[in-house]
Amino acid sequence: MTTTGLKVPRTLSVLLVFAMAFCACAGANDRNLDELSCASLRQLLSTAATNASLAEVRAKFITEAKHDAEKPALRRPRTLEELRKWRVHLKYKTRPPRTLEELRKWRVHLKYKTRPPHMSALPDKEWEAFCLSQGDNIAGALLKVELPRLAAAATLTGDAKLFERVCAQLAELAAWSPLERRGWSLNNSKPRYKDDDGAWLGTGWLVRTIADTVDLLPPDKIPPDLRAALESRLADELALMEKDWATKRPWYVRSQAAHSNQWILPNEALVRACLFLGVDRHRETYEGGISRLLRSMEAQGADGEFVEGLRYSGLSLESLYSIARATARTGDNRLLTHPFLQKFPTWLVHHFQPGGFLINTFDAPGSSRGNLTRDRDLFATVALVTGNPYALWGLRTRAGFGDTLDAILAANIPASRASAPPLFANYAKATRLNWRSSWDDDKATGLWLRGGHATDFHDHMDRGHVNFIIGRRALLIEAGTLNYAVPNNATHLRSVAGHNVLQVGDTAPDKLTPAALKHAGQILTRERRSAPITVERMDDASGVASVDVSGCYESVAKWKRRVEWNQSSATIVDEVELKQPDIVQFRWHLGVPAGAPTRTSAGQITAGDVSITYNADATVAARIESMPDATLASKEITQHACVVLRTDSPVQRLKLKTQIKLTAAASE
């Protein structure tokens, strides 16, 4: 028997039995996709296996898996020396690494190839422990995609070599004790390694890798001794994680950081291990994990917003949707039906701005212009697990399908079930207003306004920031984040200097030390983070909103910003009152290169095709300076023009009106 040109092996004939029953129920009356969340991974795979329209996607998926199979199974490096010596790139033609030194040259990419400044105080032994732990972590990030893909391809094709390769990697993982070695929490403030810092992100990824891979394989393809070894490994991991909670040794337990990805992934691992070993044998532990994951969702926004921003939402929500799917298959829908998981897709898709831009608040590496695919794997998982029409729309029109198992399964969902989300929203807990005039990226106008919430985490000094885009032209941008190792990240990108906000005093960006920012910048403590947004009106043509940033500065008695916009301009009115007279300055980061032609006149300054007019109740001078950003180009820091409006002398109060628009020539 054949289908779409592929020979159907005996293992696939079993899938076809699943497919006939499953496709019938999934397609009947165009039902909601509840069935998808309750189906096993092999059942879901069966639907993709029999869909003729996916022949090309399926063939590409299998080709990618066979490419993975040509790589050697990942062996655990044992020392830093090994990790350094193995210089194998993605062709993987030589022996696998056995040490930390090799791991640096492993086909898994380490986060730090040389010791960064915030690790400079670590003794050599602790630096090695940290690197080996990070190696395990990044191996988990790789294998959670690669190994289930291999297992799915093996099941689809019946290829004995693929089954052998999958089992070889599973056998290797069964010998990793623990799955992620300790030392991940070491840094300059904690330079010495003591006892055990607990399970971490890699534990979550590696437990998921094992469980998903086993779910995808026909039971008779897993040798009894391998299954026993995997059960033993996960039983030991579960015992370690139970001790984490009993002794409170990880920081996230002591701090009760339920909002954090570092809380969520270890709890995913704990619950998934219980499922793998049998919930009835570990009922109390299972219920504890479920309770803590529910706490994680309660800690987020009521409208689906994630308190650590876009980048860290990817880590956490992939985990939450994965474990929600796994528990739902056993009839436990408590996680899957939580409102946060149902509303999150809207918040996620609302990060798309016109012109190929993304809303890049918080620490969000990879959020530069044009990188719309950055969350495609998450979009695929969300669409598959929830059937959310906005997630499916974002996947099909913006993010695109990747090469993960969830991507090929999500491609099986009819396009008719996708629909565009609303054009605008005001998220109370994010805190963020986002707006666009249409979903035409070439012509739409887009604006977002940042406030602040007490529970924000991984955030920047960006309360009050305004971003403004017309079509493919960025007028106002924020500096963004490339990575934490950029030397001027804290001064030029993360601080007030990297955003379109108030700075108190005349300190230059390179002098904005933590001590200087206590006076000049925003205070990122729970007591000082709140900056509520009030919307006066908002429709698809225009809007008016204000943000109160008064409580975010030590030196400020009042700063209120009112923003009025339409499809061609944004007008911002700032009212500032300081506790003591000082220089007041506002930056306007423009989406034009540094060195672009400029023109100045009374109350107006133009850089490139962006025009800024301003007037104030005190004497204000304008200048243009070159500032760095991780927004306008991918994977690099570029320099853009930044307009600085500064009072000539210290003042205690200032009212400033600023309008931003394209020049007349650019608007034609």
XYZ file of all heavy atoms in Angstrom, residues 553-617:
512
model
N 10.724 57.041 39.469
C 12.003 57.731 39.646
C 12.155 58.170 41.097
O 11.182 58.607 41.733
C 12.087 58.970 38.766
C 12.122 58.741 37.280
C 10.972 58.375 36.580
C 13.294 58.935 36.557
C 10.997 58.198 35.204
C 13.330 58.766 35.173
C 12.180 58.393 34.505
O 12.203 58.214 33.143
N 13.366 58.135 41.582
C 13.645 58.652 42.919
C 13.609 60.172 42.935
O 13.226 60.791 43.937
C 15.024 58.156 43.385
C 15.389 58.571 44.797
C 14.432 58.023 45.838
O 14.034 56.838 45.717
O 14.071 58.771 46.766
N 13.993 60.793 41.823
C 14.154 62.245 41.774
C 12.952 62.977 41.193
O 12.981 64.202 41.050
C 15.397 62.586 40.949
O 15.326 61.959 39.676
N 11.892 62.259 40.853
C 10.745 62.841 40.157
C 9.512 62.841 41.057
O 9.175 61.817 41.661
C 10.448 62.065 38.857
C 9.154 62.547 38.217
C 11.613 62.204 37.882
N 8.854 64.000 41.131
C 7.584 64.083 41.847
C 6.412 63.752 40.920
O 5.409 63.176 41.348
C 7.402 65.482 42.431
N 6.569 64.096 39.625
C 5.490 63.851 38.671
C 6.066 63.749 37.269
O 6.885 64.566 36.857
C 4.470 64.995 38.716
C 3.399 64.945 37.626
C 2.540 66.210 37.662
C 1.552 66.268 36.515
N 0.762 67.530 36.528
N 5.678 62.713 36.552
C 5.864 62.676 35.105
C 4.668 61.957 34.505
O 4.479 60.762 34.715
C 7.159 61.981 34.677
C 7.231 61.820 33.164
C 6.705 62.665 32.232
C 7.816 60.746 32.433
N 6.935 62.191 30.962
C 7.615 61.022 31.057
C 8.504 59.590 32.806
C 8.068 60.165 30.057
C 8.945 58.734 31.801
C 8.740 59.029 30.439
N 3.859 62.710 33.795
C 2.719 62.143 33.090
C 2.888 62.401 31.604
O 3.260 63.504 31.192
C 1.405 62.752 33.593
C 1.062 62.335 35.017
C -0.320 62.817 35.431
C -0.671 62.314 36.827
N -2.022 62.752 37.260
N 2.626 61.377 30.828
C 2.775 61.470 29.374
C 1.432 61.160 28.719
O 0.797 60.142 29.025
C 3.847 60.503 28.893
C 3.885 60.272 27.390
C 5.158 59.564 26.954
N 6.253 60.535 26.822
C 7.485 60.216 26.414
N 7.790 58.947 26.137
N 8.403 61.145 26.295
N 1.025 62.040 27.813
C -0.205 61.832 27.038
C 0.172 61.677 25.569
O 0.928 62.483 25.028
C -1.161 63.007 27.212
C -2.533 62.818 26.542
C -3.433 64.018 26.858
N -4.794 63.816 26.384
C -5.243 64.185 25.174
N -4.399 64.765 24.312
N -6.506 63.978 24.833
N -0.333 60.624 24.947
C 0.011 60.310 23.562
C -1.266 60.320 22.728
O -2.237 59.630 23.054
C 0.701 58.935 23.450
C 1.138 58.685 22.008
C 1.875 58.834 24.398
N -1.256 61.098 21.661
C -2.370 61.125 20.713
C -1.807 60.801 19.334
O -0.809 61.392 18.912
C -3.048 62.492 20.708
C -4.275 62.556 19.810
C -5.087 63.837 19.986
O -4.681 64.688 20.811
O -6.123 63.986 19.299
N -2.429 59.881 18.663
C -1.871 59.441 17.382
C -2.966 59.159 16.358
O -4.126 58.912 16.695
C -1.019 58.185 17.586
C -1.802 56.942 17.922
C -2.297 56.009 17.053
C -2.224 56.514 19.227
N -2.974 55.016 17.724
C -2.938 55.297 19.065
C -2.055 57.019 20.520
C -3.495 54.606 20.143
C -2.601 56.338 21.596
C -3.302 55.136 21.403
N -2.537 59.190 15.104
C -3.363 58.741 13.988
C -2.448 58.018 13.017
O -1.327 57.651 13.378
C -4.123 59.906 13.343
C -3.192 61.024 12.911
O -2.070 60.779 12.439
N -3.631 62.275 13.073
N -2.868 57.852 11.789
C -2.079 57.051 10.862
C -0.886 57.800 10.271
O -0.070 57.191 9.579
C -2.980 56.520 9.740
C -4.040 55.555 10.254
C -4.894 54.964 9.149
O -4.377 54.497 8.135
N -6.210 54.996 9.331
N -0.745 59.084 10.581
C 0.361 59.847 9.998
C 1.252 60.536 11.020
O 2.349 60.981 10.666
C -0.183 60.903 9.026
O -1.044 61.809 9.701
N 0.836 60.614 12.289
C 1.668 61.307 13.269
C 1.335 60.858 14.684
O 0.271 60.292 14.943
C 1.475 62.826 13.156
O 0.162 63.195 13.560
N 2.280 61.137 15.577
C 2.077 60.916 17.006
C 2.469 62.194 17.731
O 3.537 62.766 17.467
C 2.916 59.746 17.500
N 1.606 62.643 18.628
C 1.857 63.851 19.401
C 1.925 63.484 20.874
O 0.984 62.869 21.404
C 0.758 64.900 19.165
O 0.691 65.211 17.769
C 1.038 66.167 19.961
N 3.016 63.859 21.511
C 3.266 63.469 22.897
C 3.398 64.721 23.752
O 4.186 65.627 23.429
C 4.548 62.620 23.014
C 4.402 61.318 22.218
C 4.849 62.307 24.472
C 5.091 61.329 20.895
N 2.647 64.773 24.826
C 2.731 65.878 25.776
C 3.249 65.326 27.095
O 2.647 64.415 27.676
C 1.370 66.558 25.978
C 1.480 67.656 27.045
C 0.862 67.151 24.662
N 4.378 65.870 27.559
C 4.995 65.445 28.816
C 4.911 66.563 29.841
O 5.269 67.718 29.558
C 6.472 65.087 28.580
C 6.637 63.849 27.729
O 6.213 62.771 28.179
O 7.171 63.962 26.613
N 4.442 66.210 31.028
C 4.413 67.136 32.159
C 5.302 66.571 33.254
O 5.036 65.478 33.773
C 2.992 67.338 32.660
C 2.070 67.995 31.648
C 0.690 68.266 32.213
O 0.590 69.010 33.214
O -0.276 67.706 31.666
N 6.351 67.322 33.606
C 7.362 66.848 34.541
C 7.474 67.813 35.713
O 7.487 69.040 35.531
C 8.743 66.724 33.851
C 9.802 66.257 34.844
C 8.667 65.782 32.658
N 7.578 67.242 36.901
C 7.890 68.017 38.098
C 8.931 67.243 38.894
O 8.698 66.087 39.273
C 6.650 68.256 38.948
C 6.928 69.085 40.199
C 5.686 69.345 41.031
O 4.569 69.203 40.489
O 5.830 69.677 42.231
N 10.084 67.870 39.120
C 11.160 67.237 39.867
C 11.081 67.616 41.342
O 10.497 68.639 41.716
C 12.521 67.664 39.303
C 12.773 67.416 37.815
C 14.192 67.844 37.449
C 12.532 65.966 37.450
N 11.715 66.799 42.161
C 11.787 67.121 43.583
C 12.746 68.273 43.830
O 12.550 69.063 44.760
C 12.199 65.872 44.367
C 11.154 64.771 44.321
C 11.603 63.528 45.078
C 10.545 62.431 45.003
N 10.976 61.189 45.702
N 13.784 68.362 43.008
C 14.746 69.450 43.071
C 15.083 69.871 41.646
O 15.083 69.043 40.735
C 16.032 69.021 43.801
C 15.838 68.588 45.244
C 15.415 69.732 46.146
O 15.739 70.900 45.871
N 14.683 69.421 47.209
N 15.378 71.163 41.422
C 15.708 71.598 40.055
C 16.893 70.827 39.478
O 17.873 70.542 40.167
C 16.063 73.083 40.245
C 15.323 73.488 41.477
C 15.355 72.282 42.382
N 16.786 70.486 38.200
C 17.854 69.755 37.517
C 17.616 69.851 36.019
O 16.567 70.304 35.566
C 17.866 68.281 37.966
C 19.241 67.630 37.872
O 20.046 68.081 37.025
O 19.505 66.680 38.631
N 18.594 69.418 35.255
C 18.429 69.311 33.807
C 17.391 68.225 33.519
O 17.394 67.151 34.127
C 19.766 68.946 33.128
C 20.792 70.062 33.333
C 19.559 68.651 31.645
C 20.435 71.367 32.643
N 16.503 68.513 32.587
C 15.518 67.531 32.119
C 15.814 67.244 30.659
O 15.983 68.180 29.858
C 14.081 68.062 32.271
C 13.091 67.123 31.585
C 13.725 68.228 33.739
N 15.880 65.971 30.302
C 16.088 65.644 28.894
C 15.246 64.438 28.478
O 14.974 63.544 29.279
C 17.564 65.413 28.588
C 18.263 64.331 29.348
C 19.721 64.205 28.894
O 20.028 64.200 27.701
N 20.632 64.095 29.857
N 14.826 64.490 27.227
C 14.081 63.393 26.614
C 14.830 62.950 25.361
O 15.308 63.780 24.591
C 12.665 63.827 26.228
C 11.728 63.964 27.385
C 11.560 65.181 28.016
C 11.022 62.866 27.848
C 10.700 65.313 29.085
C 10.153 62.983 28.923
C 9.995 64.207 29.551
N 14.910 61.660 25.162
C 15.488 61.110 23.927
C 14.379 60.591 23.026
O 13.377 60.041 23.497
C 16.467 59.973 24.250
C 17.797 60.456 24.793
C 18.787 59.300 24.962
N 20.080 59.790 25.429
C 20.368 60.061 26.699
N 19.448 59.854 27.626
N 21.553 60.514 27.037
N 14.622 60.745 21.729
C 13.735 60.182 20.713
C 14.609 59.379 19.747
O 15.300 59.940 18.903
C 12.975 61.290 19.979
C 12.113 62.089 20.918
C 12.330 63.357 21.367
C 10.906 61.654 21.548
N 11.353 63.743 22.235
C 10.454 62.720 22.371
C 10.160 60.472 21.513
C 9.295 62.641 23.140
C 9.002 60.392 22.278
C 8.579 61.456 23.071
N 14.590 58.067 19.921
C 15.387 57.165 19.082
C 14.664 56.972 17.749
O 13.523 56.502 17.708
C 15.557 55.815 19.787
C 16.376 55.895 21.030
N 17.721 55.603 21.063
C 16.040 56.244 22.303
C 18.179 55.753 22.287
N 17.184 56.155 23.068
N 15.331 57.320 16.680
C 14.725 57.293 15.350
C 15.190 56.070 14.557
O 16.335 55.636 14.687
C 15.092 58.563 14.578
C 14.854 59.898 15.299
C 15.205 61.066 14.378
C 13.419 60.009 15.790
N 14.315 55.606 13.707
C 14.655 54.450 12.878
C 15.399 54.838 11.626
O 15.110 54.321 10.533
N 16.350 55.739 11.760
C 17.190 56.160 10.636
C 18.647 56.010 11.047
O 18.987 56.138 12.230
C 16.898 57.613 10.210
C 15.452 57.755 9.768
C 17.208 58.590 11.320
N 19.527 55.721 10.113
C 20.929 55.489 10.464
C 21.586 56.739 11.048
O 21.246 57.870 10.683
C 21.580 55.111 9.125
C 20.454 54.748 8.224
C 19.276 55.542 8.671
N 22.523 56.527 11.944
C 23.359 57.634 12.399
C 24.094 58.197 11.185
O 24.520 57.464 10.295
C 24.355 57.146 13.442
N 24.204 59.479 11.136
C 24.854 60.092 9.989
C 23.907 60.465 8.876
O 24.337 61.009 7.842
N 22.605 60.183 9.043
C 21.632 60.599 8.035
C 21.595 62.125 7.970
O 21.877 62.810 8.957
C 20.254 60.044 8.386
N 21.273 62.689 6.819
C 21.210 64.151 6.700
C 20.265 64.755 7.729
O 19.192 64.207 8.010
C 20.682 64.365 5.275
C 21.021 63.103 4.553
C 20.928 62.009 5.563
N 20.647 65.871 8.314
C 19.836 66.518 9.344
C 19.596 67.977 8.991
O 20.385 68.606 8.278
C 20.520 66.443 10.720
O 21.756 67.160 10.675
C 20.799 64.995 11.105
N 18.499 68.497 9.522
C 18.181 69.916 9.391
C 17.606 70.387 10.718
O 16.841 69.662 11.366
C 17.160 70.165 8.273
C 17.628 69.781 6.886
C 16.648 70.274 5.813
N 15.290 69.809 6.043
C 14.826 68.619 5.664
N 15.642 67.756 5.069
N 13.584 68.285 5.888
N 17.962 71.583 11.120
C 17.429 72.143 12.357
C 16.914 73.554 12.103
O 17.445 74.293 11.267
C 18.507 72.197 13.459
O 19.602 72.997 13.007
C 19.002 70.808 13.805
N 15.858 73.875 12.817
C 15.314 75.228 12.807
C 14.625 75.427 14.142
O 14.574 74.502 14.968
C 14.333 75.415 11.641
O 13.272 74.492 11.735
N 14.101 76.591 14.376
C 13.463 76.862 15.661
C 12.302 75.898 15.887
O 11.347 75.850 15.108
C 12.970 78.307 15.703
N 12.400 75.094 16.933
C 11.316 74.182 17.285
C 11.173 72.987 16.376
O 10.161 72.278 16.439
N 12.164 72.707 15.548
C 12.049 71.559 14.638
C 13.428 70.980 14.357
O 14.417 71.702 14.230
C 11.387 71.961 13.328
C 11.164 70.775 12.379
C 10.340 71.169 11.160
O 10.206 72.340 10.842
N 9.774 70.177 10.484
N 13.476 69.656 14.259
C 14.703 68.976 13.881
C 14.321 67.768 13.034
O 13.341 67.070 13.318
C 15.527 68.562 15.122
C 16.896 68.013 14.710
C 14.767 67.595 16.012
C 17.877 67.913 15.870
N 15.080 67.565 11.958
C 14.791 66.474 11.029
C 16.036 65.632 10.839
O 17.139 66.162 10.668
C 14.335 67.019 9.664
O 13.160 67.803 9.850
C 14.036 65.888 8.693
N 15.863 64.316 10.886
C 16.942 63.374 10.583
C 16.425 62.387 9.557
O 15.424 61.698 9.810
C 17.406 62.648 11.837
N 17.100 62.333 8.404
C 16.586 61.474 7.344
C 15.199 61.930 6.953
O 14.977 63.101 6.647
N 14.225 61.017 6.991
C 12.858 61.373 6.614
C 11.927 61.486 7.813
O 10.703 61.454 7.666
C 12.304 60.358 5.610
C 12.361 58.925 6.137
O 12.788 58.732 7.291
O 11.985 57.994 5.392
N 12.492 61.621 9.009
C 11.679 61.755 10.218
C 11.794 63.178 10.746
O 12.897 63.702 10.954
C 12.123 60.761 11.307
C 11.278 60.942 12.566
C 12.012 59.325 10.802
N 10.639 63.789 10.954
C 10.587 65.171 11.414
C 10.033 65.237 12.832
O 9.024 64.593 13.146
C 9.695 66.003 10.481
O 9.480 67.297 10.996
N 10.691 66.015 13.691
C 10.238 66.230 15.064
C 10.058 67.729 15.274
O 10.993 68.517 15.059
C 11.245 65.670 16.082
C 11.269 64.141 16.000
C 10.897 66.120 17.494
C 12.204 63.494 16.999
N 8.859 68.124 15.658
C 8.608 69.501 16.066
C 8.312 69.502 17.553
O 7.736 68.542 18.085
C 7.433 70.112 15.292
O 6.271 69.304 15.486
C 7.740 70.183 13.812
N 8.688 70.594 18.241
C 8.545 70.620 19.691
C 8.380 72.052 20.179
O 8.838 73.014 19.551
C 9.761 69.972 20.360
C 11.076 70.639 20.030
C 11.606 71.647 20.837
C 11.784 70.279 18.880
C 12.807 72.271 20.504
C 12.979 70.893 18.550
C 13.486 71.885 19.365
O 14.662 72.516 19.043
N 7.697 72.184 21.318
C 7.648 73.459 22.024
C 7.480 73.177 23.502
O 6.922 72.148 23.891
C 6.542 74.375 21.485
C 5.160 73.778 21.673
O 4.626 73.771 22.781
N 4.565 73.277 20.579
N 7.998 74.070 24.317
C 8.015 73.845 25.760
C 7.841 75.164 26.488
O 7.995 76.254 25.903
C 9.329 73.179 26.167
N 7.537 75.084 27.787
C 7.391 76.287 28.597
C 8.708 76.688 29.259
O 8.739 77.517 30.173
C 6.287 76.104 29.647
C 6.534 74.939 30.579
O 7.592 74.277 30.461
O 5.673 74.676 31.439
